[in-house]
Amino acid sequence: MSLANIKDSEVDIVIGALHSDLTSFMNEWRPIFSRFHLIIVKDPDLKEELRIPEGFNLDVYSKSHIDQVVGSSSSIVFSGYSCRYFGFLVSRKKYIVSIDDDCIPAKDSKGFLIDAVAQHLANLTTPATPFFFNTLYDPYREGADFVRGYPFSLRSGVTCALSCGLWLNLADLDAPTQALKPGQRNSQYVDAVMTIPSRAMMPISGINIAFDREAVGPALLPALKLAGEGNLRWETMEDIWSGMCVKVVCDHLGLGVKSGLPYVWRNDRGSAIESLKKEWEGVKLTEEIVPFFQLVRLPQTAATTEDCILEMATTVKQQLGPSNPVFTRAAEAMVEWVKLWKAVGSGSSPL
């Protein structure tokens, strides 16, 4: 499918609202978002009423909606940035674009506004090349092609299921790095998209992503929750864990993941020093998580994304669970998420 063939009605923009006043955010994105349906999920811990300007086609979900669909006794927690997963759950569209509410549209190296949605959809609707790296990056972009020596048998590529965008200004660094380099900002705009090679892990950030919900929707899930988790990106691990889950699923099912364009402009937030106290547990857990995902292999009987997540949950519980109860809880949440996904998906409307 080409970008020209995608209808606006096939796309949902999902926004996790951690700020009550979305006026500035929404107005900044108006030229891009106004064509699409938006799903705004209010952080259940946010007490103030949301302020949203008029002129958008949107649905707003709050704690009462989450409790109605999921139940208050669920092991799945939708607080903080995890609230956006509820939007993934209730969406009925093929494509989902998710951008954090502390980001605004960026400008390219020529000063033109970047249409992040259009670039994400372009990434998803052109093939990925995970089995052989092309040194000119994405060969399907205008002005690019496959280099000499690239096997013709692999040039048709595979379906791209996940597009991971980047950020200008405040880069998505971890709290220790940001605390060490408080003034560091990302000002380098690199006009490139690349496919992440098969079996290579990567830290997928939930700040600016898009995915094919029909292909890998159940693999983007709120499972790993830190004991002292906060509401800032560098105080969480939910997207890192989810990203490794979806990468393993994509590798197993023969799907592709791209990284690079589009960029968004990310505004400064919070104190890295304070966040370090909350994220340190996640920093240590990463040293266990990465080797696990690098080595995990799924059986050929796992033919769907749901199958893959259930198989992975079993392995997580068996191999990581004994070392830390946080992994056992994550495995249980993965199983519950698949059940919830199937239950919600079986109805015409979740609410």
Side-chain angles (χ1 to χ4, degrees), residues 59-62 64-70 86 90 92 344 347-351:
D59 288 305
V60 178
Y61 296 94
S62 61
S64 62
H65 299 107
I66 294 173
D67 290 343
Q68 182 180 341
V69 174
V70 181
F86 186 78
V90 299
R92 289 293 182 269
V344 172
S348 58
S349 175
L351 296 173

Side-chain angles (χ1 to χ4, degrees), residues 61-95:
Y61 296 94
S62 61
K63 185 178 185 299
S64 62
H65 299 107
I66 294 173
D67 290 343
Q68 182 180 341
V69 174
V70 181
S72 57
S73 61
S74 170
S75 65
I76 299 173
V77 180
F78 288 100
S79 63
Y81 279 110
S82 291
C83 68
R84 67 198 177 101
Y85 293 98
F86 186 78
F88 302 169
L89 180 69
V90 299
S91 172
R92 289 293 182 269
K93 305 297 178 64
K94 178 174 175 58
Y95 298 105

Side-chain angles (χ1 to χ4, degrees), residues 31-235:
I32 299 168
F33 284 177
S34 58
R35 294 166 43 199
F36 303 99
H37 176 254
L38 278 64
I39 293 177
I40 298 178
V41 185
K42 180 183 176 184
D43 177 5
D45 298 330
L46 186 64
K47 304 304 180 185
E48 299 85 4
E49 291 297 317
L50 294 182
R51 295 193 290 279
I52 303 170
E54 296 182 352
F56 293 93
N57 173 24
L58 55 82
D59 288 305
V60 178
Y61 296 94
S62 61
K63 185 178 185 299
S64 62
H65 299 107
I66 294 173
D67 290 343
Q68 182 180 341
V69 174
V70 181
S72 57
S73 61
S74 170
S75 65
I76 299 173
V77 180
F78 288 100
S79 63
Y81 279 110
S82 291
C83 68
R84 67 198 177 101
Y85 293 98
F86 186 78
F88 302 169
L89 180 69
V90 299
S91 172
R92 289 293 182 269
K93 305 297 178 64
K94 178 174 175 58
Y95 298 105
I96 287 181
V97 178
S98 183
I99 294 175
D100 281 359
D101 66 350
D102 59 353
C103 299
I104 61 174
K107 293 182 179 180
D108 63 19
S109 55
K110 297 179 181 178
F112 294 110
L113 194 71
I114 297 169
D115 187 337
V117 176
Q119 181 62 57
H120 272 308
L121 295 178
N123 292 346
L124 292 171
T125 54
T126 52
T129 54
F131 304 119
F132 202 84
F133 188 78
N134 190 54
T135 50
L136 280 182
Y137 307 120
D138 190 343
Y140 302 99
R141 291 191 69 203
E142 185 177 352
D145 212 322
F146 292 97
V147 297
R148 180 172 58 89
Y150 201 101
F152 279 86
S153 60
L154 295 176
R155 294 190 182 194
S156 59
V158 301
T159 298
C160 180
L162 177 64
S163 170
C164 305
L166 299 173
W167 345 264
L168 292 172
N169 192 39
L170 188 63
D172 194 21
L173 306 176
D174 52 42
T177 304
Q178 192 65 55
L180 185 64
K181 303 176 179 179
Q184 181 164 310
R185 297 294 180 268
N186 182 34
S187 59
Q188 187 174 14
Y189 177 89
V190 180
D191 188 12
V193 179
M194 66 181 72
T195 296
I196 306 303
S198 180
R199 304 302 180 192
M201 289 293 104
M202 63 180 289
I204 293 175
S205 168
I207 291 171
N208 170 26
I209 63 169
F211 59 94
D212 184 332
R213 186 181 182 277
E214 295 177 359
V216 294
L220 288 112
L221 72 176
L224 188 73
K225 216 59 175 165
L226 303 178
E229 186 165 296
N231 279 355
L232 301 176
R233 271 287 170 213
W234 49 32
E235 296 172 352

